[in-house]
Amino acid sequence: MLHLEKKKAFHFLVTFWNFSSHGESLHRIGFFGMETSIRLPHGIYSTTMELKATYDIENMGLTPGIRHELWPLDEIDPTKDKFPCCLVWTPLPVVSWLAPFIGHVGICREDGVILDFAGSNFVNIDSFAFGAVARYLQLDRKQCCFPANLAEHTCKYGFKHREYGAAVTWDDALRSSMRHFEHKTYNLFTCNCHSFVANCLNRLCYGGSMEWNMINVATLVLFKGQWVSVMSILRAFLPFMLVLCLGLVLVGWPFIIGLFSFSMLLIGWFLLGNYWLKWLIDC
């Protein structure tokens, strides 16, 4: 008996009978309940052989109904900058001093390595631009659509998802986005790190949506992200508070009004570009 794996077993039984008669043997062979007879030279023997094997083919799209299985992830380890399947965020120099809700984002592979779009035709690997991770949010791979073929989409988009660039694994989606953004020109206002993360999430169809953009990526991290440490909070807000106090002392209330207006202009631009003038935003 040969036992190879687990699921979908098949077995067959071959039985030989022989009867000796006048220098030759009559052999009857039974195979799956059918019998036939053959004559061979003299020799009396009887053999019964049973072979039973089990096989398992997973995630190949050959057998309908096979469920995509996900291997367990390692623990999040900020000391080693390992954040498996996470969105990560860090404050930007100068820009975050004036608008602390704006920062640099990246997305992590299943092994925890950070990927971020850090410049024209350049995606950083395992070297997060602008400093250590301050906030992170681990995403659930079960909320992704990993179709083995067009008929196995779990999202509502089907062919649209396939045409956009559906992936069979988390890392596969990230690799596709990396190749796409290695030919993109970086622009803070039209094609930035948030665009890269949104592109990854659209390929994953995360949460059953292909409508990810700069705004909802930033909102997701802002409202659901966890702080790495108290020092991360200080690093994100202390420069802003110092600039705010200094401006208030030196300039007064007009500085506060100007700072507020700057923030509103940024928010207004990204809302306009992502929801009404989508042709301006390159994702």
Side-chain angles (χ1 to χ4, degrees):
M1 182 180 294
L2 174 65
H3 188 74
L4 299 178
E5 274 272 350
K6 23 181 187 180
K7 301 177 185 174
K8 295 190 178 180
F10 68 89
H11 68 276
F12 57 89
L13 180 66
V14 181
T15 305
F16 298 92
W17 298 273
N18 68 71
F19 303 92
S20 179
S21 176
H22 304 292
E24 60 180 14
S25 298
L26 175 66
H27 299 265
R28 299 187 64 81
I29 302 177
F31 182 72
F32 285 109
M34 296 182 293
E35 293 186 355
T36 186
S37 299
I38 60 174
R39 293 184 179 275
L40 294 174
H42 180 73
I44 302 175
Y45 62 91
S46 176
T47 306
T48 301
M49 178 178 64
E50 181 178 2
L51 298 177
K52 188 175 183 179
T54 311
Y55 63 92
D56 185 15
I57 302 174
E58 294 182 4
N59 308 323
M60 298 297 292
L62 300 176
T63 306
I66 291 178
R67 185 177 179 180
H68 193 287
E69 295 184 5
L70 305 170
W71 58 66
L73 300 175
D74 293 334
E75 294 293 326
I76 293 172
D77 189 352
T79 61
K80 296 181 180 178
D81 284 333
K82 299 301 180 185
F83 299 86
C85 293
C86 288
L87 302 185
V88 291
W89 180 94
T90 194
L92 282 168
V94 182
V95 178
S96 296
W97 301 352
L98 303 176
F101 54 87
I102 294 178
H104 183 69
V105 297
I107 188 168
C108 303
R109 298 188 318 211
E110 290 175 305
D111 62 0
V113 170
I114 302 171
L115 308 177
D116 61 300
F117 184 48
S120 295
N121 310 317
F122 177 64
V123 177
N124 242 341
I125 301 175
D126 203 20
S127 179
F128 200 32
F130 307 110
V133 173
R135 304 183 80 172
Y136 66 92
L137 173 66
Q138 190 166 46
L139 303 181
D140 183 4
R141 290 173 296 171
K142 293 180 181 178
Q143 294 191 43
C144 302
C145 176
F146 296 126
N149 54 61
L150 190 59
E152 292 187 11
H153 278 265
T154 57
C155 65
K156 62 184 178 181
Y157 295 97
F159 180 75
K160 180 183 176 182
H161 186 204
R162 172 65 69 180
E163 188 178 35
Y164 187 88
V168 294
T169 66
W170 177 278
D171 286 353
D172 182 43
L174 271 56
R175 279 191 296 269
S176 297
S177 292
M178 280 182 63
R179 288 192 293 269
H180 181 70
F181 274 78
E182 282 171 353
H183 306 283
K184 293 287 185 181
T185 301
Y186 186 93
N187 186 299
L188 181 64
F189 299 103
T190 60
C191 184
N192 56 36
C193 54
H194 291 75
S195 308
F196 171 68
V197 172
N199 187 275
C200 292
L201 295 180
N202 284 329
R203 291 178 190 275
L204 292 165
C205 199
Y206 185 75
S209 173
M210 285 185 64
E211 304 299 327
W212 291 98
N213 55 43
M214 298 181 191
I215 295 294
N216 48 29
V217 166
T219 303
L220 185 65
V221 177
L222 183 65
F223 289 103
K224 292 190 176 183
Q226 301 179 50
W227 293 101
V228 171
S229 65
V230 175
M231 285 302 299
S232 299
I233 300 174
L234 293 176
R235 189 158 58 90
F237 291 105
L238 187 58
F240 170 74
M241 296 303 297
L242 290 175
V243 169
L244 188 65
C245 293
L246 190 62
L248 192 59
V249 170
L250 297 178
V251 181
W253 286 104
F255 178 81
I256 304 299
I257 295 171
L259 196 61
F260 179 77
S261 300
F262 172 73
S263 297
M264 290 300 101
L265 281 172
L266 283 177
I267 293 172
W269 163 255
F270 287 118
L271 284 172
L272 185 67
N274 282 277
Y275 291 105
W276 290 282
L277 302 176
K278 293 184 179 182
W279 57 271
L280 290 172
I281 303 298
D282 189 4
C283 289

